[in-house]
Amino acid sequence: HIYFVRHGESEYNTSDTILHHDTDLTSKGIRQAESCAARCRNFSFDTIISGPYARAQKTAEIINTDSHKEIHTSDLFTEYRYPVEVLGVKKTPALFVALINGSERRFLGGEVFDDLKLRTAQALQFLELRPEGSLLVVSHAIFIYFLLTYMVFGETTSSRDFEKFFRAFLLGNTGITHCVFDKKPEGERWCIATWNDDAH
């Protein structure tokens, strides 16, 4: 069982333009994380894994206030790494899709679709090989979209598949997505049990 939690609201989320990759939680984001922590008391998990950015780390620390689990930091679960040249550019879903697809030629650097696809495959393999029976992973919106797309389509995942998920599924701050990795004689598979549970 893997509980993917998107971090609480950050300074990046409240800005109309693209800020530096690593921004902190807002006061609202801290309150969201506290509410999420209360909800996570109902879950049974052995370990917390967090991306390295401050907003994910702080969300993980707040969730861990009561659970007292070990927090592991992994670069695999960081957010999409956009090129620094887009700092200050107005944020739109279309821009991110273009950047990830490599079709926004004005900007160089940053991750593109094949980079994200490879990192996603590595992240899922990392989770599949963990010895724990249940994990809580604090990560970021775009990367969680990628994880879920890859769970559904596997190695055949295309940029069009990702774009459909990204545009059709909402993922709020501290939304919880519960996934199950099944190991059965007939084969291994990922199942998405709940998406963006934000009842807290």
Side-chain angles (χ1 to χ4, degrees):
H1 293 265
I2 315 289
Y3 299 95
F4 293 102
V5 178
R6 185 187 177 194
H7 60 78
E9 181 189 82
S10 69
E11 296 160 356
Y12 177 90
N13 298 136
T14 59
S15 173
D16 290 333
T17 60
I18 297 175
L19 301 181
H20 186 272
H21 288 89
D22 199 357
T23 59
D24 211 339
L25 295 180
T26 62
S27 57
K28 179 180 177 181
I30 292 172
R31 293 193 303 273
Q32 289 174 330
E34 290 169 344
S35 294
C36 186
R39 183 74 184 287
C40 289
R41 291 183 200 127
N42 299 317
F43 303 151
S44 175
F45 55 90
D46 304 309
T47 303
I48 298 175
I49 296 172
S50 173
Y53 291 162
R55 56 193 185 274
Q57 289 278 309
K58 188 165 286 185
T59 300
E61 289 165 6
I62 292 171
I63 290 173
N64 198 37
T65 301
D66 293 324
S67 62
H68 307 294
K69 305 293 185 183
E70 189 171 359
I71 299 177
H72 296 273
T73 300
S74 173
D75 287 340
L76 287 171
F77 298 96
T78 196
E79 181 56 299
Y80 159 64
R81 300 179 181 103
Y82 43 80
V84 295
E85 288 85 357
V86 299
L87 292 177
V89 174
K90 184 174 177 58
K91 291 189 296 189
T92 66
L95 173 62
F96 281 108
V97 168
L99 288 170
I100 291 169
N101 287 344
S103 54
E104 182 49 87
R105 301 298 181 189
R106 291 177 299 154
F107 305 112
L108 301 174
E111 288 180 300
V112 291
F113 180 80
D114 287 342
D115 302 322
L116 274 169
K117 186 175 176 180
L118 176 61
R119 180 156 65 90
T120 299
Q122 292 170 338
L124 290 177
Q125 184 179 47
F126 170 84
L127 295 174
E128 291 164 9
L129 295 175
R130 294 288 302 189
E132 301 93 341
S134 184
L135 298 164
L136 188 142
V137 179
V138 182
S139 190
H140 304 262
I142 292 178
F143 194 64
I144 293 174
Y145 280 118
F146 241 89
L147 286 166
L148 275 288
T149 306
Y150 198 94
M151 285 179 194
V152 173
F153 296 102
E155 293 180 1
T156 65
T157 298
S158 69
S159 58
R160 182 65 179 143
D161 295 329
F162 164 72
E163 186 176 350
K164 287 178 181 177
F165 264 75
F166 184 56
R167 292 185 182 275
F169 287 80
L170 299 176
L171 182 58
N173 291 109
T174 66
I176 302 167
T177 298
H178 175 201
C179 299
V180 179
F181 180 62
D182 255 342
K183 289 185 176 181
K184 294 185 176 179
E186 59 268 28
E188 300 176 340
R189 68 180 184 130
W190 281 94
C191 301
I192 302 166
T194 60
W195 168 264
N196 190 40
D197 180 354
D198 62 355
H200 50 277

